[in-house]
């Protein structure tokens, strides 16, 4: 049995209540483990493994609701994916890390402790991804995050240089303002366009408020939550026309592909796409769908009214740069079967 455990290369645990001690035992015993997936485990609190794991190159931790801390020492880690509450993440000496996914779409902004359980100080600051993965930003090739992970970014000089970034995915709400709104997303696109000179593909995933899964108990426990819910509901599908172009975006020579999912066809989302046309001078392909391609559990849900969406698509065709092709994916989603849907879903991750 021990021989089988030591030779195990991939392990996927879903709805298995792994404890902190069991997590450490898994990595200590499975010395050949390359891929570890932990999904929906409710007992994990402090994920920690301070002994170097030489083979682990893929770690995925999704929707572990009580998790507070992740500390991992994996020198050959290539891909790290996390979805859940905003927590402290400490990845040590991951010199091969190129793929980071961090989606923390919630309102639980708790105070961080001064040090992690290894006794090392955390990088203080409001920018979640930049703080947690600051040592690896220059080597990242793929980055996925929600716009709420970055507080206070208002200009194009706030994002450090990401000289190897080729694929960027941003998730936001179809609301004009707020920490998860499209104006925040626009600020981030402007910042990343300047900081990522070799960015090749941009994905924008626009969700609606109901996907946040906020409960009444959450609002009771977190006093600011009720206000945030009201604010976002008030601004959702807002008819106001905020000026998207008040921040100039530098022309980008390498960005050639854009995917926009959750497109509602309202003026805000249409203007957002048009703003992309203004600075992506070598755009070859833009794919648009009113289907939300985000959390797999909530994917394949249409968000916009068909007539409004199609009218907006017509306007975008009129503004499309000469070299670019626009593909409206909705008909293919709902006419073709299985294989096409699976292909489109794979683009979301």
């Amino acid at each position: 049995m021990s021989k089988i455990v030591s030779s195990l290369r991939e392990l996927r645990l879903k709805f298995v209540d792994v404890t902190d001690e069991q997590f450490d035992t898994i990595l200590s015993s499975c010395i050949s483990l390359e891929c570890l997936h932990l999904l929906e485990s409710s007992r994990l609190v402090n994920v920690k493994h301070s002994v170097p794991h030489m083979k682990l190159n893929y770690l995925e931790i999704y929707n572990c609701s009580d998790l507070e801390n992740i500390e991992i020492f994996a020198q050959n880690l290539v891909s790290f994916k996390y979805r859940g509450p905003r927590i402290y993440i400490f990845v040590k000496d991951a010199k091969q890390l190129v793929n980071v996914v961090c989606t923390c779409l919630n309102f639980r902004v708790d105070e961080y402790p001064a040090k992690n359980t290894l006794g090392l100080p955390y990088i203080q600051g409001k920018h979640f991804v930049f703080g947690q993965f600051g040592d690896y930003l220059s080597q990242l090739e793929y980055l996925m995050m929600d716009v709420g992970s970055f507080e206070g970014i208002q200009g194009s000089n706030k994002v450090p240089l990401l000289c190897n970034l080729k694929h960027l995915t941003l998730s936001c709400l179809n609301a004009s303002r707020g920490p998860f709104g499209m104006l925040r997303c626009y600020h981030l696109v402007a910042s990343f366009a300047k900081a990522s000179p070799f960015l090749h593909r941009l994905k924008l995933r626009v969700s609606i408020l109901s996907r946040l899964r906020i409960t009444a108990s959450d609002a009771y426990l977190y006093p600011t939550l009720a206000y945030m819910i009201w604010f976002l509901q008030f601004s959702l599908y807002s008819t106001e026309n905020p000026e998207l172009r008040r921040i100039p975006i530098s022309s980008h020579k390498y960005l050639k592909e854009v995917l926009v999912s959750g497109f509602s066809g309202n003026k805000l989302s249409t203007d957002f796409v048009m703003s992309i046309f203004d600075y992506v001078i070598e755009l070859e392909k833009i794919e648009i769908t009113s289907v939300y391609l985000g959390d797999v559990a909530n994917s394949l849900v249409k968000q916009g009214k068909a007539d409004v969406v199609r009218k907006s698509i017509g306007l975008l065709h009129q503004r499309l740069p000469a070299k670019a092709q626009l593909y409206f994916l909705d008909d293919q989603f709902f006419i073709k079967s299985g294989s096409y849907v699976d292909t489109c879903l794979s683009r979301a991750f």
Side-chain angles (χ1 to χ4, degrees), residues 27-43:
L27 288 187
S28 299
S29 304
C30 304
I31 58 176
S32 299
L33 192 64
E34 297 177 0
C35 301
L36 177 59
H37 313 257
L38 293 175
L39 313 173
E40 310 281 354
S41 179
S42 62
R43 295 182 65 186

Side-chain angles (χ1 to χ4, degrees), residues 11-144:
L11 178 62
R12 176 181 290 269
L13 299 174
K14 186 172 184 180
F15 298 115
V16 178
D17 287 336
V18 179
T19 65
D20 299 343
E21 293 76 15
Q22 289 169 337
F23 174 86
D24 187 60
T25 300
I26 289 171
L27 288 187
S28 299
S29 304
C30 304
I31 58 176
S32 299
L33 192 64
E34 297 177 0
C35 301
L36 177 59
H37 313 257
L38 293 175
L39 313 173
E40 310 281 354
S41 179
S42 62
R43 295 182 65 186
L44 283 174
V45 179
N46 291 297
V47 169
K48 178 183 176 183
H49 188 71
S50 56
V51 178
H53 195 290
M54 304 308 296
K55 293 294 184 70
L56 189 67
N57 57 50
Y58 184 101
L59 178 60
E60 177 186 40
I61 300 178
Y62 271 24
N63 299 336
C64 299
S65 56
D66 290 333
L67 194 59
E68 297 177 359
N69 193 68
I70 297 176
E71 297 174 11
I72 190 76
F73 191 174
Q75 294 175 305
N76 291 301
L77 192 68
V78 173
S79 178
F80 177 86
K81 297 184 178 183
Y82 171 78
R83 176 185 175 86
R86 185 183 296 192
I87 63 171
Y88 267 125
I89 299 172
F90 181 71
V91 180
K92 185 178 180 182
D93 291 345
K95 297 180 180 179
Q96 307 299 320
L97 187 65
V98 296
N99 181 10
V100 169
V101 173
C102 272
T103 52
C104 308
L105 194 56
N106 61 26
F107 298 101
R108 301 185 180 188
V109 184
D110 302 324
E111 291 294 327
Y112 295 155
K115 295 183 179 181
N116 58 28
T117 56
L118 293 177
L120 300 174
Y122 285 117
I123 299 174
Q124 300 300 315
K126 296 181 178 180
H127 304 157
F128 176 70
V129 176
F130 294 164
Q132 311 288 3
F133 299 95
D135 292 340
Y136 311 114
L137 294 177
S138 63
Q139 67 193 49
L140 294 185
E141 297 179 6
Y142 182 98
L143 179 62
M144 178 191 293

Side-chain angles (χ1 to χ4, degrees), residues 295-309:
D295 182 1
V296 174
N298 291 317
S299 296
L300 295 181
V301 177
K302 278 188 147 182
Q303 297 190 174
K305 294 181 179 180
D307 55 340
V308 175
V309 171

Side-chain angles (χ1 to χ4, degrees), residues 309-332:
V309 171
R310 291 187 181 278
K311 182 178 179 180
S312 297
I313 293 296
L315 294 175
L316 294 176
H317 268 294
Q318 296 175 17
R319 286 286 308 276
L320 193 67
K323 299 179 183 179
Q325 296 291 322
L326 190 154
Y327 299 94
F328 184 46
L329 303 179
D330 280 35
D331 292 337
Q332 300 176 74

